Amino acid sequence: MKLNKFFFGLLMTPAVMMVGCSDYEDTEVASPEADADAIGAYFETSSVSEQLSPGQTSFNVVLNRASFSEAVNVPVKITANDDNFFSLSANQFVFDAEKQVSSPITVTFNQSTVELQKTYSLGLQVADGVKDHLYGAGYTDAQYSMVVDYEWKSDSLASTMVKDEYAGTFDKEGALAAVEIAKDFEVVKANPSPDYTKNSLVRISSFFATIGKSKAAGKDHIQFVVDKNHKNPQFLTTEYLAGKEISLKVNTTELSTGMTQKFAEEKEYPVCMDLVGIEVDETATEAATTTDDVTYLVTYKLYAFDEKADKKYQLSTEDDTVPVEGNTQYKAKFEVKFVKASAE
């Protein structure tokens, strides 16, 4: 009897298992399809940075799409454009049949107001900011940031010790700073390397952050042009570029240093710098075999700037109840080691 119960149990087990499996059925779910007229227009990225050389006057933007069998036009609108700085060559992106990427739209800008090294922003939008395609990639909105500047490199120049009156190191060791040169400034097109027989554009960027007086980088770039002998320095100015038929503004006043001044009245103002002059310190300049070592002397003014009242106040280490209007003049000097053409 015990043996019969064992075999009966073996016979029943598959039956029970078959009953259990009957609760599951194979089903087929179709993937959702996009609307037949869906385009799926999109920008590949939502944020784009455009750096132009001073000779460039425009840049191009394109649009992509998920469905690209037929020719179609996609309207585009500007969502951000301060003072109508930018202009578009067309108000719609044009797609040819079987093309996933549109023909480019050219973006131009106001040549009479553009400032060197200043960032300008342009916002664009398609499809009213709403994707119309289930499988559309990318973004319906894009923000373009444009800056016009030179290509700065420090590989051909050595670092320097900046000695500065404001920092209290004018007669001491100073602070180590990187010296940069604009590689695409007055370069012969037939020769991609810098032509050292022509003028050079040199700078120490974010001056007070570089010498350790400010924790925040500012726009206080000391940038200047020197001749083929690396002498006769002059600050890069609007007038200089105009002489080269380049319509750009260059700011040499009210340069943001990244520093602030707080007075007793509990108002805090940004500290600004005005560039006054630059010259060669002949007493410190010496000749070398592989480099031209030139020491430059820069004069500048510092002040706390109340933009709302349009007033300048002298910097103070004390809690002045009544800030004194005016500014203070300082000097800085540094040596630049130019690589001689014969040493390359």
Side-chain angles (χ1 to χ4, degrees):
M1 289 297 293
K2 291 181 179 180
L3 185 62
N4 290 338
K5 287 182 179 180
F6 174 74
F7 280 110
F8 180 77
L10 290 177
L11 292 173
M12 288 296 294
T13 300
V16 172
M17 291 179 63
M18 289 180 64
V19 171
C21 291
S22 64
D23 293 337
Y24 298 93
E25 297 181 0
D26 291 334
T27 58
E28 182 177 338
V29 179
S31 299
E33 294 184 359
D35 294 339
D37 57 349
I39 300 170
Y42 66 92
F43 296 100
E44 279 195 318
T45 58
S46 60
S47 180
V48 183
S49 297
E50 297 281 353
Q51 178 168 330
L52 308 185
S53 66
Q56 292 180 277
T57 59
S58 65
F59 62 93
N60 291 333
V61 297
V62 296
L63 193 67
N64 292 263
R65 58 175 174 166
S67 177
F68 48 92
S69 59
E70 300 180 354
V72 68
N73 296 341
V74 177
V76 60
K77 64 181 180 181
I78 297 175
T79 57
N81 187 14
D82 292 342
D83 299 323
N84 294 319
F85 180 78
F86 291 102
S87 298
L88 304 182
S89 62
N91 59 6
Q92 57 185 357
F93 288 100
V94 177
F95 289 93
D96 293 331
E98 306 299 331
K99 296 293 184 181
Q100 186 179 6
V101 181
S102 73
S103 298
I105 288 180
T106 301
V107 180
T108 56
F109 45 89
N110 192 336
Q111 292 293 311
S112 64
T113 62
V114 65
E115 186 175 311
L116 184 73
Q117 296 162 349
K118 180 178 179 179
T119 301
Y120 299 88
S121 296
L122 170 68
L124 298 180
Q125 184 184 80
V126 295
D128 291 326
V130 180
K131 290 185 176 181
D132 67 345
H133 199 291
L134 290 173
Y135 310 110
Y139 306 86
T140 57
D141 292 72
Q143 190 81 11
Y144 289 83
S145 298
M146 183 206 76
V147 63
V148 180
D149 197 3
Y150 290 98
E151 181 183 356
W152 295 94
K153 297 288 184 180
S154 58
D155 56 1
S156 62
L157 299 176
S159 298
T160 184
M161 296 302 295
V162 175
K163 301 178 180 182
D164 180 69
E165 283 185 336
Y166 177 70
T169 60
F170 193 76
D171 297 319
K172 300 176 183 178
E173 184 179 5
L176 186 64
V179 180
E180 300 174 315
I181 187 170
K183 287 296 187 71
D184 51 348
F185 178 81
E186 295 193 352
V187 175
V188 179
K189 293 183 179 180
N191 181 7
S193 63
D195 181 355
Y196 289 99
T197 64
K198 290 198 170 187
N199 291 359
S200 298
L201 179 58
V202 186
R203 82 171 178 182
I204 296 179
S205 63
S206 194
F207 183 71
F208 288 102
T210 297
I211 65 174
K213 291 298 294 183
S214 173
K215 295 181 180 179
K219 296 184 178 179
D220 48 333
H221 312 310
I222 296 180
Q223 45 196 0
F224 56 98
V225 182
V226 292
D227 61 22
K228 64 180 181 179
N229 297 315
H230 308 136
K231 302 292 183 65
N232 299 312
Q234 58 178 308
F235 292 127
L236 183 65
T237 62
T238 303
E239 291 74 20
Y240 183 91
L241 291 179
K244 304 297 179 182
E245 298 183 350
I246 298 177
S247 299
L248 288 175
K249 291 185 176 182
V250 182
N251 186 20
T252 57
T253 61
E254 293 178 6
L255 297 174
S256 171
T257 64
M259 300 184 293
T260 58
Q261 171 73 63
K262 190 172 184 178
F263 296 107
E265 59 183 17
E266 296 186 354
K267 286 187 178 180
E268 195 167 1
Y269 303 108
V271 175
C272 296
M273 175 175 71
D274 289 351
L275 295 174
V276 177
I278 182 170
E279 59 186 9
V280 172
D281 186 351
E282 297 289 355
T283 60
T285 298
E286 299 178 357
T289 305
T290 59
T291 61
D292 289 333
D293 299 349
V294 185
T295 298
Y296 298 100
L297 188 63
V298 173
T299 305
Y300 63 88
K301 294 179 180 178
L302 277 186
Y303 51 89
F305 184 48
D306 183 352
E307 185 177 8
K308 185 176 181 180
D310 193 23
K311 289 184 178 181
K312 301 177 181 179
Y313 300 112
Q314 292 184 12
L315 303 187
S316 174
T317 56
E318 300 178 358
D319 291 335
D320 295 333
T321 303
V322 181
V324 179
E325 289 190 39
N327 53 62
T328 307
Q329 188 164 291
Y330 297 95
K331 289 186 178 181
K333 62 181 177 181
F334 47 86
E335 183 183 69
V336 177
K337 298 179 183 295
F338 295 92
V339 178
K340 289 185 176 181
S342 59
E344 291 189 312

